[in-house]
């Protein structure tokens, strides 16, 4: 199996461009078997977690059983109002951060994130579901920029997400995509489907591979987080990011245009308010 490419964040940390999500499909469920499958069958070393998924302990027991070296793994956790993530989480610090986010506002919460970084409790600090207005507030006083903004990216949300993606690009904030397969899973039968099916036929790929690759390219090479409990699908997802050639500009734009015809989003409700 070809090695998973990485992207270098603004802080120098290298992140594998495909992440294995432990929310949504395995939300509140024991994630141990899924994570063991992802790491052992797929060599996936980027695992996306969150305190609110209520399964971080089971992720921990999977990693213990797998004996993964900490330095080899990029592990994300999120806390607060889904606003923050730290890699290599520390429970008590997450809790104080959560209180800070609720009581003190973004700039103060971000200072605590910077403190975590300074103390070496995490390798990177970033945010999730942050629209431009939130980012501007953080950037005003930040000593360290968020290295990542994890947001919903799929063809039906791209029109609204595009200004955030470009704002992040111009501030060296890497976009990490979730919800990438939404047109297949949540909104089947929409205008994007025939376009993606044609591209999949032309490239000898599957629809999900085309969508994963599209999200990776439209975010300027950002990591894509997705999930499957099926090892065949996981292999398919991995191949999209390790072996598949790039979609052409025409193919990329055809998907963008299809997405504009049926705007949909399942998260980031207020994304159009800057
Ligand atoms: N920051 C946030 O607010 C936020 C929000 C949502 C998600 N996330 C993160 O992103 C991760 C991924 O979430 P997501 O919403 O993108 O995905 P998801 O809901 O986890 O999507 C994967 C689901 O789609 C199925 N699937 C995969 N490939 C498929 C295919 N080709 N055809 C049909 N079904 C397929 C999988 O089922 P099988 O197991 O049957 O393959 C799985 O149930 C989450 O686990 C979480 O870590 C973050």
């Amino acid at each position: 199996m070809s090695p998973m490419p990485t992207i270098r964040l603004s802080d120098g940390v290298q992140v594998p461009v495909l992440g294995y999500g432990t929310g949504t499909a395995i939300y509140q469920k024991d994630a141990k078997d899924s994570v063991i499958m992802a790491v052992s069958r797929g060599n996936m070393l980027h695992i996306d977690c969150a305190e609110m998924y209520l399964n971080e302990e089971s992720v921990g027991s999977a990693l213990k059983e797998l004996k993964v070296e900490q330095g080899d793994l990029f592990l994300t956790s999120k806390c607060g109002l889904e606003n923050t993530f730290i890699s290599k989480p520390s429970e008590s610090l997450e809790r104080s951060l959560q209180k800070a986010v609720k009581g003190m506002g973004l700039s103060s919460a971000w200072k605590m994130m910077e403190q975590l970084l300074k103390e070496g409790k995490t390798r990177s600090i970033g945010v999730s579901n942050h629209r431009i207005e939130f980012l501007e507030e953080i950037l005003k006083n930040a000593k360290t920029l968020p290295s990542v903004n994890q947001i919903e990216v799929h063809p039906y949300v791209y029109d609204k997400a595009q200004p955030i993606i470009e704002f992040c690009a111009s501030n060296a904030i890497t976009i990490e995509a979730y919800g990438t397969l939404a047109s297949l899973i949540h909104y089947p039968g929409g205008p994007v489907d025939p376009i993606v099916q044609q591209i999949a036929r032309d490239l000898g790929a599957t629809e999900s591979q085309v969508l994963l690759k599209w999200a990776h390219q439209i975010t300027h090479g950002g990591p894509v987080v997705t999930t499957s409990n099926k090892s065949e699908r996981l292999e398919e997802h991995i191949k999209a990011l390790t072996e598949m050639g790039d979609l052409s500009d025409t193919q990329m734009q055809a998907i963008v245009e299809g997405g504009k015809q049926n705007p949909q989003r399942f998260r980031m409700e207020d994304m159009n308010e800057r």
Side-chain angles (χ1 to χ4, degrees):
M1 195 180 288
S2 316
M4 181 62 65
T6 58
I7 181 167
R8 191 172 187 274
L9 305 182
S10 58
D11 56 21
V13 171
Q14 303 274 353
V15 184
V17 294
L18 187 66
Y20 188 77
T22 60
T24 47
I26 37 182
Y27 175 69
Q28 290 197 350
K29 294 185 193 148
D30 191 311
K32 186 174 172 185
D33 291 347
S34 306
V35 171
I36 288 180
M37 188 265 298
V39 176
S40 55
R41 302 275 304 260
N43 195 24
M44 296 229 12
L45 294 171
H46 172 181
I47 314 283
D48 186 70
C49 312
E51 190 176 26
M52 70 169 296
Y53 300 164
L54 302 177
N55 57 14
E56 285 189 317
E57 267 183 29
S58 63
V59 174
S61 42
L63 298 177
K64 195 168 170 194
E65 194 164 310
L66 287 159
K67 299 193 173 69
V68 182
E69 290 289 326
Q70 209 177 47
D72 292 340
L73 189 69
F74 189 86
L75 184 71
T76 297
S77 181
K78 307 179 209 82
C79 57
L81 304 172
E82 291 179 83
N83 280 336
T84 41
F85 87 80
I86 57 176
S87 79
K88 285 207 268 163
S90 147
E91 209 174 299
S92 61
L93 285 161
E94 280 191 15
R95 292 201 195 294
S96 35
L97 191 59
Q98 190 166 13
K99 283 183 200 136
V101 172
K102 281 185 177 148
M104 289 154 48
L106 284 175
S107 292
S108 308
W110 188 251
K111 277 201 181 78
M112 293 191 70
M113 295 287 278
E114 289 175 327
Q115 188 60 28
L116 292 183
L117 189 67
K118 200 170 159 195
E119 289 170 11
K121 300 259 169 35
T122 177
R123 285 187 287 169
S124 294
I125 50 174
V127 296
S128 176
N129 295 325
H130 269 42
R131 56 189 210 214
I132 293 173
E133 181 196 359
F134 295 164
L135 292 166
E136 281 173 340
E137 194 181 329
I138 290 176
L139 298 188
K140 258 190 262 165
N141 300 311
K143 289 197 182 90
T144 306
L145 301 182
S147 54
V148 162
N149 187 14
Q150 186 185 98
I151 65 168
E152 181 181 341
V153 180
H154 53 77
Y156 293 133
V157 83
Y158 176 69
D159 205 28
K160 292 276 189 270
Q162 198 245 0
I164 302 178
I165 294 172
E166 297 317 321
F167 178 89
C168 287
S170 58
N171 285 283
I173 301 170
T174 296
I175 289 286
E176 187 165 298
Y178 71 79
T180 304
L181 303 177
S183 58
L184 260 186
I185 297 166
H186 299 300
Y187 313 110
V192 158
D193 285 8
I195 300 166
V196 170
Q197 283 158 8
Q198 183 60 51
I199 296 171
R201 275 194 295 275
D202 292 346
L203 297 179
T206 66
E207 288 173 71
S208 50
Q209 286 179 320
V210 171
L211 289 166
L212 292 168
K213 192 75 186 177
W214 177 86
H216 174 59
Q217 287 180 231
I218 209 83
T219 56
H220 310 293
V224 181
V225 180
T226 189
T227 301
S228 179
N229 279 313
K230 300 189 173 69
S231 58
E232 324 80 75
R233 268 193 192 145
L234 187 66
E235 267 173 43
E236 191 180 313
H237 295 170
I238 292 166
K239 280 187 184 157
L241 276 301
T242 54
E243 293 176 13
M244 203 172 142
D246 280 353
L247 271 60
S248 68
D249 290 349
T250 312
Q251 290 168 331
M252 291 293 292
Q253 196 52 33
I255 295 175
V256 169
E257 294 305 324
K260 280 184 194 166
Q261 292 171 36
N262 183 28
Q264 300 281 355
R265 65 193 110 151
F266 60 95
R267 302 295 293 254
M268 289 195 76
E269 292 80 4
D270 52 2
M271 197 153 59
N272 52 346
E273 297 163 21
R274 291 201 86 230

